[in-house]
PDB file of all heavy atoms in Angstrom:
ATOM      1  N   ILE T 451      77.788  99.628  86.060  1.00  0.00           N
ATOM      2  CA  ILE T 451      76.879  99.385  84.926  1.00  0.00           C
ATOM      3  C   ILE T 451      77.673  99.294  83.620  1.00  0.00           C
ATOM      4  O   ILE T 451      77.449  98.400  82.801  1.00  0.00           O
ATOM      5  CB  ILE T 451      75.825 100.516  84.852  1.00  0.00           C
ATOM      6  CG1 ILE T 451      74.871 100.423  86.046  1.00  0.00           C
ATOM      7  CG2 ILE T 451      75.036 100.434  83.541  1.00  0.00           C
ATOM      8  CD1 ILE T 451      73.916 101.593  86.160  1.00  0.00           C
ATOM      9  N   VAL T 452      78.602 100.228  83.440  1.00  0.00           N
ATOM     10  CA  VAL T 452      79.436 100.202  82.218  1.00  0.00           C
ATOM     11  C   VAL T 452      80.256  98.918  82.171  1.00  0.00           C
ATOM     12  O   VAL T 452      80.383  98.281  81.121  1.00  0.00           O
ATOM     13  CB  VAL T 452      80.354 101.441  82.176  1.00  0.00           C
ATOM     14  CG1 VAL T 452      81.335 101.340  81.006  1.00  0.00           C
ATOM     15  CG2 VAL T 452      79.528 102.709  82.050  1.00  0.00           C
ATOM     16  N   TRP T 453      80.808  98.522  83.326  1.00  0.00           N
ATOM     17  CA  TRP T 453      81.606  97.287  83.390  1.00  0.00           C
ATOM     18  C   TRP T 453      80.760  96.074  82.996  1.00  0.00           C
ATOM     19  O   TRP T 453      81.180  95.227  82.200  1.00  0.00           O
ATOM     20  CB  TRP T 453      82.135  97.110  84.810  1.00  0.00           C
ATOM     21  CG  TRP T 453      83.168  96.030  84.964  1.00  0.00           C
ATOM     22  CD1 TRP T 453      84.510  96.164  84.923  1.00  0.00           C
ATOM     23  CD2 TRP T 453      82.918  94.628  85.182  1.00  0.00           C
ATOM     24  NE1 TRP T 453      85.131  94.959  85.098  1.00  0.00           N
ATOM     25  CE2 TRP T 453      84.178  93.992  85.265  1.00  0.00           C
ATOM     26  CE3 TRP T 453      81.766  93.861  85.315  1.00  0.00           C
ATOM     27  CZ2 TRP T 453      84.311  92.633  85.470  1.00  0.00           C
ATOM     28  CZ3 TRP T 453      81.899  92.491  85.514  1.00  0.00           C
ATOM     29  CH2 TRP T 453      83.156  91.898  85.595  1.00  0.00           C
ATOM     30  N   THR T 454      79.542  95.991  83.537  1.00  0.00           N
ATOM     31  CA  THR T 454      78.661  94.856  83.235  1.00  0.00           C
ATOM     32  C   THR T 454      78.242  94.865  81.774  1.00  0.00           C
ATOM     33  O   THR T 454      78.222  93.814  81.104  1.00  0.00           O
ATOM     34  CB  THR T 454      77.413  94.920  84.134  1.00  0.00           C
ATOM     35  OG1 THR T 454      77.816  95.000  85.503  1.00  0.00           O
ATOM     36  CG2 THR T 454      76.545  93.686  83.940  1.00  0.00           C
ATOM     37  N   ALA T 455      77.897  96.065  81.268  1.00  0.00           N
ATOM     38  CA  ALA T 455      77.488  96.167  79.859  1.00  0.00           C
ATOM     39  C   ALA T 455      78.623  95.747  78.939  1.00  0.00           C
ATOM     40  O   ALA T 455      78.401  95.044  77.940  1.00  0.00           O
ATOM     41  CB  ALA T 455      77.057  97.600  79.564  1.00  0.00           C
ATOM     42  N   ALA T 456      79.855  96.170  79.269  1.00  0.00           N
ATOM     43  CA  ALA T 456      81.012  95.801  78.446  1.00  0.00           C
ATOM     44  C   ALA T 456      81.198  94.290  78.427  1.00  0.00           C
ATOM     45  O   ALA T 456      81.491  93.698  77.379  1.00  0.00           O
ATOM     46  CB  ALA T 456      82.267  96.487  78.983  1.00  0.00           C
ATOM     47  N   CYS T 457      81.009  93.678  79.578  1.00  0.00           N
ATOM     48  CA  CYS T 457      81.171  92.224  79.686  1.00  0.00           C
ATOM     49  C   CYS T 457      80.101  91.497  78.863  1.00  0.00           C
ATOM     50  O   CYS T 457      80.401  90.545  78.149  1.00  0.00           O
ATOM     51  CB  CYS T 457      81.105  91.813  81.155  1.00  0.00           C
ATOM     52  SG  CYS T 457      81.432  90.069  81.428  1.00  0.00           S
ATOM     53  N   LEU T 458      78.860  91.990  78.950  1.00  0.00           N
ATOM     54  CA  LEU T 458      77.761  91.324  78.250  1.00  0.00           C
ATOM     55  C   LEU T 458      77.829  91.536  76.737  1.00  0.00           C
ATOM     56  O   LEU T 458      77.400  90.672  75.960  1.00  0.00           O
ATOM     57  CB  LEU T 458      76.420  91.846  78.792  1.00  0.00           C
ATOM     58  CG  LEU T 458      76.110  91.475  80.252  1.00  0.00           C
ATOM     59  CD1 LEU T 458      74.820  92.130  80.713  1.00  0.00           C
ATOM     60  CD2 LEU T 458      76.019  89.960  80.416  1.00  0.00           C
ATOM     61  N   LEU T 459      78.347  92.687  76.322  1.00  0.00           N
ATOM     62  CA  LEU T 459      78.402  92.989  74.893  1.00  0.00           C
ATOM     63  C   LEU T 459      79.603  92.362  74.203  1.00  0.00           C
ATOM     64  O   LEU T 459      79.656  92.290  72.976  1.00  0.00           O
ATOM     65  CB  LEU T 459      78.435  94.517  74.685  1.00  0.00           C
ATOM     66  CG  LEU T 459      77.155  95.264  75.062  1.00  0.00           C
ATOM     67  CD1 LEU T 459      77.362  96.760  74.969  1.00  0.00           C
ATOM     68  CD2 LEU T 459      75.988  94.822  74.188  1.00  0.00           C
ATOM     69  N   ASP T 460      80.577  91.913  74.990  1.00  0.00           N
ATOM     70  CA  ASP T 460      81.780  91.313  74.416  1.00  0.00           C
ATOM     71  C   ASP T 460      81.551  89.821  74.203  1.00  0.00           C
ATOM     72  O   ASP T 460      81.609  89.027  75.137  1.00  0.00           O
ATOM     73  CB  ASP T 460      82.964  91.558  75.364  1.00  0.00           C
ATOM     74  CG  ASP T 460      84.263  91.059  74.764  1.00  0.00           C
ATOM     75  OD1 ASP T 460      84.282  90.750  73.559  1.00  0.00           O
ATOM     76  OD2 ASP T 460      85.252  90.964  75.503  1.00  0.00           O
ATOM     77  N   ARG T 461      81.298  89.426  72.981  1.00  0.00           N
ATOM     78  CA  ARG T 461      80.985  88.027  72.692  1.00  0.00           C
ATOM     79  C   ARG T 461      82.168  87.110  73.009  1.00  0.00           C
ATOM     80  O   ARG T 461      81.982  85.973  73.418  1.00  0.00           O
ATOM     81  CB  ARG T 461      80.606  87.888  71.215  1.00  0.00           C
ATOM     82  CG  ARG T 461      79.297  88.570  70.849  1.00  0.00           C
ATOM     83  CD  ARG T 461      78.961  88.335  69.386  1.00  0.00           C
ATOM     84  NE  ARG T 461      77.692  88.957  69.038  1.00  0.00           N
ATOM     85  CZ  ARG T 461      77.178  88.936  67.814  1.00  0.00           C
ATOM     86  NH1 ARG T 461      77.831  88.332  66.824  1.00  0.00           N
ATOM     87  NH2 ARG T 461      76.019  89.512  67.561  1.00  0.00           N
ATOM     88  N   TYR T 462      83.370  87.630  72.809  1.00  0.00           N
ATOM     89  CA  TYR T 462      84.555  86.814  73.073  1.00  0.00           C
ATOM     90  C   TYR T 462      84.640  86.444  74.554  1.00  0.00           C
ATOM     91  O   TYR T 462      84.840  85.288  74.917  1.00  0.00           O
ATOM     92  CB  TYR T 462      85.799  87.588  72.647  1.00  0.00           C
ATOM     93  CG  TYR T 462      87.085  86.834  72.834  1.00  0.00           C
ATOM     94  CD1 TYR T 462      87.455  85.820  71.966  1.00  0.00           C
ATOM     95  CD2 TYR T 462      87.933  87.158  73.901  1.00  0.00           C
ATOM     96  CE1 TYR T 462      88.637  85.132  72.146  1.00  0.00           C
ATOM     97  CE2 TYR T 462      89.114  86.475  74.088  1.00  0.00           C
ATOM     98  CZ  TYR T 462      89.467  85.463  73.210  1.00  0.00           C
ATOM     99  OH  TYR T 462      90.638  84.784  73.406  1.00  0.00           O
ATOM    100  N   THR T 463      84.434  87.460  75.404  1.00  0.00           N
ATOM    101  CA  THR T 463      84.483  87.204  76.843  1.00  0.00           C
ATOM    102  C   THR T 463      83.338  86.300  77.280  1.00  0.00           C
ATOM    103  O   THR T 463      83.519  85.393  78.108  1.00  0.00           O
ATOM    104  CB  THR T 463      84.419  88.542  77.617  1.00  0.00           C
ATOM    105  OG1 THR T 463      85.498  89.372  77.209  1.00  0.00           O
ATOM    106  CG2 THR T 463      84.496  88.301  79.113  1.00  0.00           C
ATOM    107  N   LEU T 464      82.159  86.542  76.698  1.00  0.00           N
ATOM    108  CA  LEU T 464      81.017  85.701  77.047  1.00  0.00           C
ATOM    109  C   LEU T 464      81.271  84.243  76.688  1.00  0.00           C
ATOM    110  O   LEU T 464      80.932  83.325  77.448  1.00  0.00           O
ATOM    111  CB  LEU T 464      79.764  86.204  76.322  1.00  0.00           C
ATOM    112  CG  LEU T 464      78.978  87.326  77.007  1.00  0.00           C
ATOM    113  CD1 LEU T 464      77.773  87.716  76.158  1.00  0.00           C
ATOM    114  CD2 LEU T 464      78.521  86.902  78.398  1.00  0.00           C
ATOM    115  N   GLY T 465      81.883  84.040  75.514  1.00  0.00           N
ATOM    116  CA  GLY T 465      82.213  82.677  75.100  1.00  0.00           C
ATOM    117  C   GLY T 465      83.183  82.018  76.067  1.00  0.00           C
ATOM    118  O   GLY T 465      83.047  80.834  76.399  1.00  0.00           O
ATOM    119  N   ARG T 466      84.158  82.801  76.544  1.00  0.00           N
ATOM    120  CA  ARG T 466      85.120  82.256  77.503  1.00  0.00           C
ATOM    121  C   ARG T 466      84.434  81.881  78.816  1.00  0.00           C
ATOM    122  O   ARG T 466      84.747  80.864  79.434  1.00  0.00           O
ATOM    123  CB  ARG T 466      86.220  83.296  77.777  1.00  0.00           C
ATOM    124  CG  ARG T 466      87.215  83.469  76.623  1.00  0.00           C
ATOM    125  CD  ARG T 466      88.072  82.231  76.489  1.00  0.00           C
ATOM    126  NE  ARG T 466      89.030  82.290  75.404  1.00  0.00           N
ATOM    127  CZ  ARG T 466      90.245  82.811  75.500  1.00  0.00           C
ATOM    128  NH1 ARG T 466      90.623  83.375  76.634  1.00  0.00           N
ATOM    129  NH2 ARG T 466      91.073  82.767  74.484  1.00  0.00           N
TER     130      ARG T 466
END
Side-chain angles (χ1 to χ4, degrees):
I451 291 172
V452 173
W453 191 94
T454 306
C457 185
L458 293 176
L459 292 173
D460 185 12
R461 293 183 179 178
Y462 182 76
T463 302
L464 274 180
R466 286 291 179 87

